[in-house]
Amino acid sequence: MPAPPDAGATDVAASAQPTTTPAPQVVSAACPACGGPLRPWRTVPTSDASLPGTFALLRCADCGTAVTDGAAPTFEEAHDGGSYATRRPRGSGLAAPLLHAFDRQRLRILARHGARSGRLLDAGAGRGRFVSAARDAGWNAGGLEPAARGVEAARDVYGVELQRAGIEDADVAAGSADAITLWHVLEHVDEPPATLAVLRDWLAPGGLVLVGVPNVTALQARIGGDRWFHLDVPRHRTHFSPAGLRRAAEAAGLEVVAMHGVLLEHNPFGMWQSVVNRLSGTTSYLYYLLKHAAPLQARPLAITLLALPLIPVLAAVEFVAGALGRGGTMVLVARRPRS
Ligand SMILES: [Zn+2]
């Protein structure tokens, strides 16, 4: 089902001319997920100090996927500053048990679909944490990571040697993976079906790929509006709907097996942070503070602290939303056909 744009969405054209109702404008570029027509949707601020500004989003009339308009930041702009800098986040030691739980859930999703051992590739492996967890669980696991500092951190922290490469220039033999995980990477690429087609070729026949991305039709996306936690403009280029993600996978020759929306990683926090964003009029203040990408400020900090008791209630709301296919992020499970 195509998801309609939010009723409260800011129409870019309408906000420029509030007294008239302009005809919907069709932008020449097509939806990167399904090829449908894109129309202006809303403008979105970012509070990442390293990439300041306001960004226009376009939305596909067919599948509900949205796109960040304008040029993408360079690799250095996107990865070396602000929240993506590899400096250790504040409080990361305390978060270690939670991070293990996230990794175990990813491994459980693979197991639920019959993938329990073999050769696993994490494409966009960051600091190598999941590769390490997969090895501990018995997988013959490796990873790709384009950022030099991620590769170094993986070596230093986990003793994991990642291949320093992006998907487009990686050295991976065709048919060499029984499972591939692509975790919060696809929203960053310009041509998602082309990226997924590369992964399909790396998979052995019958092999599984897990694709984790934010869900633009999520309940928390509607609550957060232009300050939804997972928009992360301008780094995120494609904001997938479930329908768009399916279409992109099918266009890449993959067979969609399942979609999961109840996810510990990202979802409860994204719900809580999106509510705080609406209350405070800031975008993901705590997140950027923890990542050393926002200054200490009294008002957003006070609102953040006052909102801490909401965490259990909002986690429960997010759980229900996820079970109904409206979780903040989603995981698509797809298979390379056997023939
Ligand atoms: Zn589309």
Side-chain angles (χ1 to χ4, degrees):
M1 277 281 288
D6 292 1
T10 306
D11 184 297
V12 178
S15 62
Q17 261 188 324
T19 54
T20 60
T21 307
Q25 180 190 345
V26 178
V27 178
S28 57
C31 170
C34 81
L38 296 174
R39 301 205 166 92
W41 183 33
R42 64 179 11 154
T43 54
V44 172
T46 169
S47 59
D48 187 336
S50 73
L51 288 166
T54 301
F55 299 87
L57 299 190
L58 312 171
R59 197 155 195 193
C60 174
D62 287 350
C63 79
T65 291
V67 176
T68 306
D69 199 14
T74 65
F75 183 83
E76 287 72 25
E77 286 168 342
H79 290 81
D80 287 353
S83 63
Y84 279 54
T86 46
R87 190 171 160 197
R88 221 172 136 77
R90 299 177 212 263
S92 55
L94 294 173
L98 206 52
L99 300 178
H100 287 306
F102 297 160
D103 294 337
R104 283 197 300 273
Q105 188 181 30
R106 205 188 315 185
L107 292 165
R108 273 202 307 276
I109 293 173
L110 280 167
R112 198 184 309 174
H113 296 285
R116 292 182 180 82
S117 63
R119 300 156 300 173
L120 182 146
L121 181 73
D122 191 22
R127 301 177 179 86
R129 194 192 78 231
F130 181 69
V131 172
S132 173
R135 286 181 181 179
D136 290 346
W139 284 92
N140 175 9
L144 310 174
E145 170 56 39
R149 285 191 290 180
V151 173
E152 287 162 21
R155 188 182 299 138
D156 295 347
V157 178
Y158 300 105
V160 166
E161 199 59 45
L162 301 175
Q163 183 184 148
R164 187 183 170 195
I167 290 167
E168 63 290 346
D169 56 4
D171 180 18
V172 178
S176 67
D178 299 302
I180 297 177
T181 52
L182 187 70
W183 223 243
H184 291 265
V185 171
L186 201 63
E187 63 269 38
H188 294 263
V189 309
D190 292 324
E191 294 181 47
T195 298
L196 292 173
V198 172
L199 303 189
R200 179 208 57 210
D201 290 345
W202 291 346
L203 283 172
L208 281 186
V209 58
L210 297 194
V211 182
V213 293
N215 175 4
V216 78
T217 72
L219 176 62
Q220 61 177 259
R222 177 158 298 224
I223 291 172
D226 62 351
R227 295 189 182 277
W228 175 38
F229 172 65
H230 286 294
L231 281 174
D232 196 7
V233 290
R235 292 186 176 92
H236 289 187
R237 310 306 303 168
T238 306
H239 311 270
F240 289 95
S241 68
L245 185 58
R246 278 177 179 272
R247 299 271 293 268
E250 287 163 1
L254 290 160
E255 188 182 295
V256 176
V257 175
M259 192 83 88
H260 295 279
V262 178
L263 301 160
L264 291 174
E265 189 171 3
H266 303 297
N267 286 8
F269 180 78
M271 171 62 89
W272 176 81
Q273 184 68 74
S274 296
V275 168
V276 172
N277 291 350
R278 283 305 280 254
L279 294 174
S280 66
T282 59
T283 301
S284 306
Y285 179 74
L286 178 64
Y287 174 79
Y288 289 117
L289 187 69
L290 293 174
K291 296 269 192 172
H292 307 273
L296 272 173
Q297 289 173 313
R299 186 175 175 276
L301 189 60
I303 292 171
T304 297
L305 294 174
L306 287 169
L308 289 176
L310 295 176
I311 288 174
V313 177
L314 293 175
V317 171
E318 174 61 32
F319 179 88
V320 174
L324 297 172
R326 305 283 302 274
T329 70
M330 56 190 164
V331 173
L332 173 128
V333 185
R335 191 183 300 282
R336 176 174 175 173
R338 289 184 192 277
S339 55

